[in-house]
Amino acid sequence: MSDNQNLLAGLRILDLSRVLAGPLCTRPFAEFGAEVIKIESAPSGDMVRQFSKLRGERSLYFIQQNLGKKSVCLDLRDPRALQLIKDLVAVSDIVVENFKPGTLDAMGLGYETLKTLKQDIILCSISAMGQTGPLAAKPGYDTIAQGYAGVTAMIGDPNGAPSIPCIAAGDVSTGVHAAFAILAAVYHRDRQGVGQHIDIGLLDVYYNFHEINVHQYSGSAGALNPRRSGSHLGYVCPGGAFKAPDGYMIIMGFAHHWKDMCTAMGREDLVNVERWNSDLKRVAIRGEVIELIETWLAGFASRDAAIAHLEAHGVPVAPVLEVGETLEHPHFKARGTVRTIHDPLAGEFAMPGNPIKFVGREAASPAPAPTLGEHNETVLTELLGRSADEVAALVAAGTLVKKNL
Amino acid sequence: MSDNQNLLAGLRILDLSRVLAGPLCTRPFAEFGAEVIKIESAPSGDMVRQFSKLRGERSLYFIQQNLGKKSVCLDLRDPRALQLIKDLVAVSDIVVENFKPGTLDAMGLGYETLKTLKQDIILCSISAMGQTGPLAAKPGYDTIAQGYAGVTAMIGDPNGAPSIPCIAAGDVSTGVHAAFAILAAVYHRDRQGVGQHIDIGLLDVYYNFHEINVHQYSGSAGALNPRRSGSHLGYVCPGGAFKAPDGYMIIMGFAHHWKDMCTAMGREDLVNVERWNSDLKRVAIRGEVIELIETWLAGFASRDAAIAHLEAHGVPVAPVLEVGETLEHPHFKARGTVRTIHDPLAGEFAMPGNPIKFVGREAASPAPAPTLGEHNETVLTELLGRSADEVAALVAAGTLVKKNL
């Protein structure tokens, strides 16, 4: 069995990105064996090095998003640092950045300049609202893009405030859209010899989550107006989160599953009764349906007992697992959905596995996430041909910074 | 200005997928000029052709996920249909499928067989829980994977049932993870001459949305137990959805924005007061902070007036737009975040734009989504070299099916 680390060998990314969406774009490249050189700004580097410092000064958050990358830490106000970046562009295939739109140009590193350094360079710019349009300068918080995208409005109690999900669906998805765009540009470059400037906005990605809402509203001229529907899907019933004796569970007892649901509850009388015999009718009396099911669930000793009973009757069900319940779940361990990191400084802890799996290739652990400036010397000497003396002078001048954290 | 339709020219995908995650994996290929041949099962094709039939019998849902693809509709129980699929594999680069795990093997189209038809074929299998592990056979509903992934638990009221988002974050993100994996395999094939079998599970993708929750729980041995926090972020304050006179809005008045927030409210006295002067302290009295802000917001004539006032003070804000409010928004129109489709049967309607933008390349509209079996003849004659008589015989036998919808 070979491993997965040589899949993208030969590609080099100069990664100017910070925080989340950018680092999540470049992480899959690092996981599959591309060389990712992360530029961090002195004195303290990527700001997420301050998050989740649960093991001394080492950030588990930084580790999670930056596995397998190299770190070069530079004082970006120093013209010599800018020259190093330009020299790195000249030997890279791809540049990734997620500064506020306009910043890269202001630094003298706009796409037109990059092309003079490397004719077929691929520049991927990631931002909250995109590089263009009247909202382009808005602050880059996930929730700002989510609110505009009509996504927040589709989550939570329809009679109250919307809910803010405590997950990074937008940033993760934006990162992988950017990663796909980069490989599409590489495919094209390999055949046509030209680079690209890619413009990925969190807003556009969030908006693309609407698989049905936009066309339903538009196609019906507003007669259909999709809205959030709380703990249950809005168009089928039963389908959603139900209260069990010790937690919540998902039950999808709609359409042809309704018959199995009724049989499981010993309520075969409800299969064909006029008020209950279609999803449309059950949606209209959803409160009654939910109460019936939750009252019945209360009779079980546990959520797991209810799940086993419903599964035996062929009804699609799942526990609403809390994060802490996932870590030792046999499926998560068997598939590597969860993985254990052995970090030289932070030790052992769990994080999500690489969601992209190649059958018959071992999901080899990439190298550890770098300490700040860990690869200053190797990158400057081996890649840029600087002498040890030149590197020492840059260190002495404070242009190159290194910290073991 | 060139368009974006030649970026992936030269790639051919045989697309056996249905419904959502699979079609969303292949749509970006079709949008960038790859040839995507969608196999639909007779008599009625992809089941989503029954969704969102807002313009006669034509499905807006099908259109949205299948722009630019070709459709070949086959009676899959007929051995001649199976032979056609095998002949198509032999001339394709990539096969995508999202049957229940095991189904492709049972059809006689497993990866080992595909390799005998095309030595370097790339097979991408998409499923809910992945191809392996004890939960692999679970039914493929989004909510089932979401419940197991610990994602549902992170959304909604912490004192009540979790919320089910009315968006397809999981399917969209799974599709693009699969699309990235395919291009990584193409990159490797171009250099090493070998194919791959890719295994993408919705569960793994959902789990990867936890940018912080898993490592926080694990790294603290459960002392930190991230939970859903309703309409507001759990670790900063104020940061979340607030009630405005006519709708909801996002306010991110945390950290250094708190000072601007106080100034905007004319409450400079709260900037440094002991109980209110850090996010940690404000999180502890979140109810008071929210009440203060919502009472103040109630004095505005409208949400937009409150947004303008807060923006003038430098506080990050956004409206929680309803889907219907996005369609005519100038930013959405300027960037193509929303796009208008001109479908030959359904006419004009809006759907999300392609979230991947290449600067200086026009986002050309791909060809319309195909009618059922629209490309039966062209694919069989031009690509597989079948004669018109052979095609006619297959039509007469009911092996090939075609309907104008």
Side-chain angles (χ1 to χ4, degrees):
Chain A
M1 186 192 260
S2 57
D3 73 21
N4 59 19
Q5 299 257 299
N6 68 341
L7 279 165
L8 294 178
L11 285 180
R12 182 177 294 136
I13 299 184
L14 181 63
D15 183 1
L16 306 175
S17 76
R18 312 80 41 82
V19 188
L20 194 52
L24 281 170
C25 162
T26 56
R27 198 187 76 192
F29 286 91
E31 297 223 30
F32 293 131
E35 184 181 8
V36 179
I37 300 171
K38 182 181 176 84
I39 301 296
E40 300 194 68
S41 176
S44 44
D46 191 334
M47 67 172 278
V48 303
R49 285 188 182 270
Q50 309 310 316
F51 297 180
S52 299
K53 295 203 280 193
L54 297 173
R55 305 278 173 85
E57 285 300 300
R58 183 76 161 160
S59 160
L60 305 197
Y61 191 107
F62 180 85
I63 294 170
Q64 178 167 328
Q65 328 307 344
N66 292 285
L67 285 176
K69 303 178 189 174
K70 296 178 177 175
S71 168
V72 172
C73 182
L74 297 170
D75 177 359
L76 294 175
R77 293 160 309 177
D78 185 327
R80 286 170 293 188
L82 203 70
Q83 188 57 50
L84 289 171
I85 291 176
K86 288 182 173 176
D87 291 351
L88 285 169
V89 171
V91 294
S92 295
D93 300 282
I94 298 145
V95 176
V96 176
E97 61 99 5
N98 63 348
F99 296 111
K100 214 168 163 154
T103 304
L104 203 68
D105 275 322
M107 290 169 76
L109 294 171
Y111 179 57
E112 295 305 321
T113 304
L114 299 191
K115 276 203 292 190
T116 66
L117 302 168
K118 179 84 185 289
Q119 167 261 329
D120 61 357
I121 196 80
I122 294 162
L123 170 62
C124 181
S125 295
I126 300 171
S127 59
M129 313 302 274
Q131 300 294 311
T132 61
L135 297 177
K138 292 286 281 182
Y141 297 112
D142 177 296
T143 45
I144 300 291
Q146 194 192 112
Y148 272 104
V151 163
T152 310
M154 295 306 292
I155 306 170
D157 179 0
N159 303 311
S163 294
I164 306 286
C166 299
I167 48 165
D171 280 301
V172 172
S173 199
T174 298
V176 73
H177 275 84
F180 170 81
I182 288 169
L183 282 185
V186 168
Y187 175 92
H188 193 66
R189 180 205 68 176
D190 285 351
R191 281 147 182 89
Q192 304 292 334
V194 296
Q196 304 291 336
H197 182 190
I198 299 159
D199 167 10
I200 304 284
L202 191 55
L203 174 75
D204 301 328
V205 171
Y206 261 134
Y207 200 61
N208 198 40
F209 284 177
H210 294 298
E211 88 284 21
I212 191 165
N213 303 324
V214 178
H215 74 238
Q216 280 216 336
Y217 185 95
S218 168
S220 69
L224 297 176
N225 187 10
R227 291 219 63 222
R228 59 184 176 272
S229 57
S231 305
H232 297 268
L233 295 172
Y235 47 95
V236 296
C237 181
F242 292 82
K243 189 165 173 47
D246 52 347
Y248 288 89
M249 59 189 286
I250 301 291
I251 300 177
M252 300 298 285
F254 68 109
H256 60 286
H257 302 300
W258 174 242
K259 184 164 176 284
D260 296 327
M261 184 78 214
C262 290
T263 308
M265 294 191 292
R267 291 299 305 269
E268 288 86 347
D269 59 300
L270 292 175
V271 175
N272 293 316
V273 71
E274 182 59 27
R275 280 183 74 232
W276 295 67
N277 66 0
S278 77
D279 278 300
L280 204 64
K281 292 175 188 171
R282 292 187 298 268
V283 166
I285 54 166
R286 176 189 290 158
E288 273 184 72
V289 179
I290 294 169
E291 196 187 338
L292 172 82
I293 293 172
E294 292 191 339
T295 303
W296 174 74
L297 287 173
F300 283 88
S302 68
R303 177 178 69 186
D304 288 351
I307 287 175
H309 181 83
L310 284 162
E311 280 186 337
H313 285 83
V315 180
V317 282
V320 174
L321 291 184
E322 300 287 330
V323 169
E325 294 178 285
T326 62
L327 299 178
E328 299 299 322
H329 193 289
H331 186 79
F332 285 63
K333 295 179 86 161
R335 258 186 87 68
T337 304
V338 64
R339 64 176 150 187
T340 301
I341 295 297
H342 304 272
D343 183 73
L345 294 177
E348 224 172 71
F349 67 94
M351 60 169 268
N354 185 343
I356 297 171
K357 303 191 188 302
F358 290 87
V359 178
R361 282 175 170 263
E362 198 186 345
S365 274
T371 54
L372 186 66
E374 180 178 349
H375 302 91
N376 288 350
E377 289 83 1
T378 51
V379 168
L380 264 66
T381 57
E382 292 171 20
L383 203 56
L384 299 184
R386 299 293 207 273
S387 70
D389 284 354
E390 288 173 292
V391 170
L394 289 167
V395 171
T399 310
L400 279 172
V401 172
K402 189 173 198 170
K403 291 179 190 165
N404 192 35
L405 47 74
Chain B
M1 187 192 261
S2 59
D3 72 22
N4 58 20
Q5 300 256 298
N6 67 342
L7 279 167
L8 295 179
L11 284 180
R12 183 177 293 138
I13 298 183
L14 180 64
D15 184 0
L16 306 175
S17 76
R18 316 75 46 80
V19 190
L20 194 51
L24 280 171
C25 162
T26 56
R27 197 187 78 193
F29 286 91
E31 296 224 28
F32 294 130
E35 184 180 9
V36 179
I37 301 171
K38 183 181 175 85
I39 302 295
E40 300 193 67
S41 175
S44 45
D46 192 334
M47 67 171 280
V48 304
R49 286 187 181 272
Q50 308 310 317
F51 297 0
S52 299
K53 295 203 280 193
L54 297 173
R55 305 279 173 82
E57 285 301 300
R58 183 75 161 159
S59 160
L60 305 197
Y61 191 108
F62 180 86
I63 294 171
Q64 177 166 329
Q65 329 306 345
N66 293 285
L67 286 176
K69 303 177 189 176
K70 295 179 176 173
S71 168
V72 172
C73 182
L74 298 170
D75 178 358
L76 294 176
R77 293 160 308 179
D78 186 328
R80 287 170 295 188
L82 204 68
Q83 189 56 51
L84 289 170
I85 291 176
K86 288 182 173 177
D87 292 351
L88 285 169
V89 171
V91 295
S92 295
D93 300 282
I94 298 144
V95 176
V96 176
E97 61 99 5
N98 63 347
F99 296 112
K100 213 169 164 153
T103 304
L104 203 68
D105 275 323
M107 291 169 76
L109 294 171
Y111 180 58
E112 295 305 321
T113 305
L114 299 190
K115 276 202 291 189
T116 67
L117 302 167
K118 179 83 185 292
Q119 167 261 329
D120 61 356
I121 195 78
I122 294 162
L123 170 62
C124 182
S125 294
I126 300 171
S127 59
M129 313 302 274
Q131 301 294 311
T132 60
L135 297 175
K138 292 286 282 181
Y141 296 112
D142 178 296
T143 45
I144 300 292
Q146 195 191 112
Y148 271 105
V151 162
T152 310
M154 295 305 294
I155 307 171
D157 179 359
N159 304 311
S163 294
I164 306 286
C166 299
I167 48 165
D171 280 302
V172 171
S173 199
T174 298
V176 74
H177 275 84
F180 170 81
I182 288 169
L183 282 186
V186 168
Y187 175 91
H188 193 68
R189 181 205 67 177
D190 284 352
R191 282 148 182 87
Q192 305 292 334
V194 296
Q196 303 291 337
H197 182 191
I198 299 159
D199 166 11
I200 303 284
L202 191 53
L203 175 74
D204 301 328
V205 171
Y206 261 133
Y207 200 61
N208 197 40
F209 284 176
H210 295 297
E211 88 284 22
I212 191 164
N213 304 323
V214 178
H215 74 237
Q216 280 217 335
Y217 185 93
S218 169
S220 70
L224 297 175
N225 187 9
R227 291 217 63 220
R228 60 186 176 273
S229 56
S231 304
H232 297 268
L233 296 172
Y235 47 96
V236 296
C237 180
F242 292 81
K243 191 166 174 46
D246 52 346
Y248 288 90
M249 58 189 285
I250 301 290
I251 301 178
M252 299 298 282
F254 68 110
H256 60 285
H257 302 301
W258 174 242
K259 184 165 177 282
D260 296 328
M261 184 76 213
C262 290
T263 308
M265 293 192 292
R267 290 299 304 269
E268 289 85 348
D269 59 301
L270 292 174
V271 176
N272 292 316
V273 71
E274 181 59 27
R275 280 182 75 230
W276 296 66
N277 66 0
S278 78
D279 278 300
L280 203 65
K281 291 174 188 172
R282 291 189 298 269
V283 165
I285 54 166
R286 176 189 288 158
E288 273 184 72
V289 179
I290 294 168
E291 196 186 338
L292 172 84
I293 293 172
E294 293 191 339
T295 303
W296 173 74
L297 287 172
F300 283 89
S302 68
R303 176 179 68 186
D304 289 350
I307 287 174
H309 181 81
L310 284 163
E311 280 186 335
H313 285 82
V315 179
V317 281
V320 174
L321 292 184
E322 300 286 330
V323 169
E325 295 177 284
T326 63
L327 298 178
E328 299 300 323
H329 193 289
H331 185 79
F332 285 64
K333 295 179 86 162
R335 260 187 86 67
T337 303
V338 64
R339 63 176 152 189
T340 301
I341 296 296
H342 306 271
D343 183 74
L345 295 176
E348 222 171 74
F349 67 95
M351 61 170 267
N354 184 344
I356 296 170
K357 302 190 189 302
F358 290 87
V359 178
R361 283 175 168 264
E362 198 184 347
S365 274
T371 56
L372 186 65
E374 180 178 348
H375 303 91
N376 289 350
E377 290 81 1
T378 51
V379 168
L380 265 65
T381 57
E382 293 171 20
L383 202 56
L384 299 184
R386 299 293 208 275
S387 71
D389 284 354
E390 288 173 292
V391 171
L394 289 167
V395 171
T399 310
L400 279 171
V401 172
K402 189 173 197 169
K403 291 178 190 167
N404 191 35
L405 48 76

